[in-house]
Amino acid sequence: EVQLVESGGGLVQPGGSLRLSCAASGFTFSSHWMHWVRQAPGKGLVWVSRINSDGRSTSYADSVKGRFTISRDNAKNTLYLQLNSLRAEDTAAYYCARSYDAYMDFWGKGTTVTVSS
Amino acid sequence: QSVLTQPPSASGTPGQRVTISCSGSISNIGSDYVYWYQQLPGTAPKLLIYKNDQWPSGVPDRFSGSRSGTSASLAISGLRSEDEADYYCASWDDSLGAWVFGGGTKLTVL
């Protein structure tokens, strides 16, 4: 059974940092690209970032470019998202999603990030 | 403001057929596939339709997708109370170099 379990969310002050993790199981993690998608409270889905299967190629939404860094550890079957210089507008549930043939086919349950003083 | 445009709400009675539209541009829907996701209240999104009109395993064929030009639509036939959810369209945007989503449509089963 495919499982994606996010962790690392919490309350952080503006300008602060967090690292989100996504533990994968039930499939060959190293064969799949992965994505992060976020959803602000009461709002829609917004794509954040993606990483290829070996971690050498990444892309980001303009809103997070230069502040967020996606990475992965295939030996640990874990995806990461480093969030720096956080702003109030980064407050959201963050979902990791598996990529299959380029699209997001399976999503985790999400972890919540709240940026507030 | 989302790159893809969906109506904020839709509704129907049990057994009815409901359609949700998704409007984009030549750089997204007009040149790449459309995907639909269902998000039940308080849960993670779930893939409903991929590559315009394909069903993932386990998704009933009451749900169907189509694409024409720079627009797409999701149709739900035989509406059930458990279909009450938010529905999102998505596509890759070649100009932005990013995945883009619609703003979501909240479906209410009356």
Side-chain angles (χ1 to χ4, degrees):
Chain A
E1 178 193 3
V2 173
Q3 285 199 1
L4 296 171
V5 180
E6 301 92 337
S7 61
L11 174 64
V12 61
Q13 291 188 338
S17 299
L18 273 180
R19 188 175 83 155
L20 307 183
S21 300
C22 170
S25 61
F27 65 100
T28 305
F29 179 71
S30 59
S31 297
H32 290 262
W33 292 36
M34 297 292 293
H35 300 265
W36 286 99
V37 178
R38 69 184 181 182
Q39 185 172 34
K43 302 296 185 182
L45 302 171
V46 176
W47 176 79
V48 173
S49 181
R50 75 172 178 189
I51 188 168
N52 75 337
S53 55
D54 66 10
R56 295 184 182 184
S57 175
T58 60
S59 57
Y60 299 90
D62 285 345
S63 58
V64 306
K65 206 171 289 184
R67 300 188 300 122
F68 291 8
T69 303
I70 190 172
S71 63
R72 64 191 298 161
D73 186 334
N74 285 343
K76 294 183 177 180
N77 289 342
T78 303
L79 174 72
Y80 301 102
L81 186 66
Q82 178 69 41
L83 288 63
N84 296 332
S85 302
L86 282 162
R87 307 165 179 165
E89 54 265 35
D90 295 319
T91 294
Y94 285 75
Y95 298 99
C96 68
R98 186 180 73 169
S99 185
Y100 183 84
D101 197 12
Y103 60 92
M104 291 155 271
D105 73 329
F106 189 84
W107 301 53
K109 295 183 178 181
T111 187
T112 300
V113 173
T114 303
V115 184
S116 175
S117 55
Chain B
Q1 197 78 341
S2 301
V3 174
L4 305 181
T5 301
Q6 296 179 237
S9 64
S11 63
T13 57
Q16 267 191 333
R17 184 177 187 269
V18 171
T19 300
I20 297 171
S21 63
C22 175
S23 178
S25 68
I26 192 68
S27 64
N28 41 66
I29 294 177
S31 57
D32 212 315
Y33 293 114
V34 178
Y35 304 83
W36 290 92
Y37 296 90
Q38 177 193 59
Q39 187 175 32
L40 296 169
T43 70
K46 170 190 167 186
L47 179 66
L48 204 59
I49 296 288
Y50 68 97
K51 294 186 177 180
N52 301 333
D53 57 11
Q54 302 298 300
W55 292 278
S57 172
V59 173
D61 59 6
R62 298 188 298 109
F63 296 90
S64 61
S66 64
R67 181 188 71 171
S68 178
T70 59
S71 293
S73 63
L74 173 71
I76 309 171
S77 59
L79 201 60
R80 299 181 180 182
S81 58
E82 56 261 38
D83 297 333
E84 196 161 276
D86 293 324
Y87 293 84
Y88 296 90
C89 59
S91 184
W92 174 258
D93 191 294
D94 289 331
S95 295
L96 296 174
W99 279 89
V100 291
F101 287 89
T105 297
K106 183 176 184 62
L107 175 64
T108 301
V109 181
L110 302 170

